[in-house]
Amino acid sequence: MNGQASPRVDTTRLQHLARGYTETAVFYAAIDLDLFTHVSAGASDVSALARAMNISELNTERLTVVCLALGLLERAEGTGLQNAADCEKYLVSTGDRYAGAWMTFTRRETPDWFNITEALQSREMPATLGMYSTITVESARRYHAATYSIGMGAGRRFCRHVDLTGRRHLLDLGGGSGAYSINAVRSFDGLRATVLDLAPVTVVTQEYLEENGVADRVDTVGGDFIEDPLPRGCDVAIMASNLPIYDAERIQLVVQKTFDALEPGGEMHLIGETLHPDGVGPVDAAMWGMAEVLYGSGGRAHTSSECRNYFATAGFVDVQNIDFIPGTLTRTVGTKPG
Ligand SMILES: C[S@@+](CC[C@H](N)C(=O)[O-])C[C@H]1O[C@@H](n2cnc3c(N)ncnc32)[C@H](O)[C@@H]1O
């Protein structure tokens, strides 16, 4: 005995994991019932909220007790319930930053997650495009309503962090709603952009470009960035939120193709959920890799050092990983020698 007590081992963490799904379920219910919008509009106690949500006071109390415990609601001195800052900013449905569509983006998959054991045991050959192999204009419209609700914020952040002054043409690989391109051409005079995405998706991209009044500065190309040649003549490229869809070989291929297509002196930014260099966490990056089991692709989570290696192998210099949204997204950047 060295006199030091060993850390106490108990079941608390395991029990929390075993019931983690309850947190997701109540979070969805709060969004469905527009709880945060009603709180923001002034319903600050159980009675007022029960009336606003049209549910019983007992159930309203149950809901607010959980939301207080989860830190989604707070009790303000003297004024009753109020939203936590993130709920006030992103979950008030009358606000222009409302991200409810993104928060419930993967909701339809919930039953599949509870059959994941069988999915992990499957020996079926994965499809390269995974969930995207069957995409239609209609499904792309639903899908990108969600990515747009979160992507515009990410696009704005990108333009605050990365100075594209003097750049002429941006290639937005798998650009989806065009959120990055829309923000980039608005932020940098003289910049044009091309969104390359699967053909059905570009129909939807075009709708967002028109809605945002940038269709004269952003065009679209329907294609597959793995299989098809990339447009040439661009001096900056972004690939955002595609990383876990593909295995290392395919990410290396697309980074190489982008390097080859860029003008000398051009830069590439790969934004995605990445694991720490040792492969241990964050959970979110690991889970996006796991989701690919359900989508039937060959993709997986990649570490930030793997991303740096894809760039260096392709020939990029000054390669760096930069925290883009700490704990969620990393931006890997490199320059093609001039
Ligand atoms: C999660 S969305 C991200 C959209 C956008 N980059 C953003 O961050 O808002 C991924 C996009 O990549 C596109 N994509 C995936 N694989 C692709 C491929 N091989 N060729 C072209 N587009 C692809 C999908 O169609 C989808 O629009």
Side-chain angles (χ1 to χ4, degrees):
M1 292 286 282
N2 60 12
Q4 282 187 334
S6 12
R8 186 178 142 73
V9 175
D10 65 23
T11 60
T12 311
R13 181 174 76 104
L14 306 180
Q15 292 197 60
H16 187 123
L17 276 177
R19 292 171 50 74
Y21 63 90
T22 58
E23 296 182 12
T24 305
V26 177
F27 182 50
Y28 287 162
I31 293 172
D32 289 343
L33 294 165
D34 224 1
L35 171 72
F36 307 105
T37 307
H38 296 307
V39 171
S40 183
S44 61
D45 62 25
V46 166
S47 306
L49 274 171
R51 281 195 303 278
M53 295 189 291
N54 197 22
I55 63 173
S56 72
E57 290 206 8
L58 173 61
N59 285 339
T60 304
E61 188 188 333
R62 289 169 169 148
L63 180 61
T64 55
V65 162
V66 172
C67 289
L68 283 163
L70 291 174
L72 300 172
L73 291 179
E74 294 164 358
R75 253 199 208 112
E77 278 296 303
T79 55
L81 295 167
Q82 65 178 32
N83 289 325
D86 49 2
C87 296
E88 181 64 32
K89 187 167 175 184
Y90 297 113
L91 293 179
V92 174
S93 60
T94 47
D96 58 1
R97 304 296 283 273
Y98 183 63
W102 176 253
M103 297 304 154
T104 52
F105 179 54
T106 57
R107 183 178 191 163
R108 279 180 305 158
E109 296 165 12
T110 316
D112 300 335
W113 281 90
F114 287 89
N115 291 319
I116 203 153
T117 313
E118 289 74 14
L120 286 166
Q121 287 168 327
S122 163
R123 301 265 173 197
E124 231 170 81
M125 279 298 288
T128 308
L129 273 175
M131 63 148 59
Y132 298 109
S133 53
T134 54
I135 200 150
T136 62
V137 173
E138 255 329 292
S139 63
R141 200 170 275 129
R142 272 198 309 276
Y143 184 93
H144 286 298
T147 71
Y148 181 77
S149 77
I150 198 80
M152 284 298 277
R156 275 192 292 273
R157 179 185 282 246
F158 178 84
C159 295
R160 283 198 303 273
H161 287 202
V162 180
D163 185 4
L164 296 182
T165 307
R167 292 296 187 192
R168 287 173 289 105
H169 204 133
L170 162 70
L171 174 61
D172 191 355
L173 293 162
S177 70
Y180 280 84
S181 294
I182 292 165
N183 282 287
V185 299
R186 278 183 180 161
S187 304
F188 300 101
D189 283 346
L191 184 69
R192 298 186 57 81
T194 297
V195 174
L196 185 149
D197 209 304
L198 303 171
V201 177
T202 57
V203 175
V204 178
T205 314
Q206 199 59 44
E207 294 168 0
Y208 282 106
L209 299 180
E210 276 156 26
E211 185 184 315
N212 282 278
V214 296
D216 56 336
R217 277 167 292 159
V218 186
D219 59 12
T220 59
V221 173
D224 178 333
F225 56 58
I226 304 284
E227 298 291 335
D228 299 329
L230 301 184
R232 303 194 84 87
C234 294
D235 54 1
V236 48
I238 299 176
M239 175 157 143
S241 295
N242 280 311
L243 197 52
I245 306 170
Y246 295 104
D247 59 15
E249 196 188 327
R250 287 183 176 81
I251 296 292
Q252 183 66 69
L253 175 72
V254 72
V255 171
Q256 185 66 62
K257 286 171 72 172
T258 308
F259 179 88
D260 296 341
L262 277 173
E263 294 288 288
E267 67 197 69
M268 178 174 186
H269 303 264
L270 174 66
I271 296 163
E273 296 85 1
T274 46
L275 296 171
H276 298 309
D278 64 359
V280 182
V283 173
D284 192 49
M287 286 300 186
W288 283 111
M290 178 59 83
E292 295 300 325
V293 175
L294 305 180
Y295 308 152
S297 83
R300 64 162 172 84
H302 303 254
T303 66
S304 52
S305 26
E306 280 182 301
C307 293
R308 273 204 318 275
N309 277 337
Y310 302 140
F311 274 53
T313 304
F316 284 107
V317 295
D318 301 329
V319 178
Q320 294 178 65
N321 294 132
I322 298 165
D323 257 357
F324 184 55
I325 299 183
T328 307
L329 292 172
T330 306
R331 176 167 61 85
T332 303
V333 56
T335 305
K336 177 168 173 169

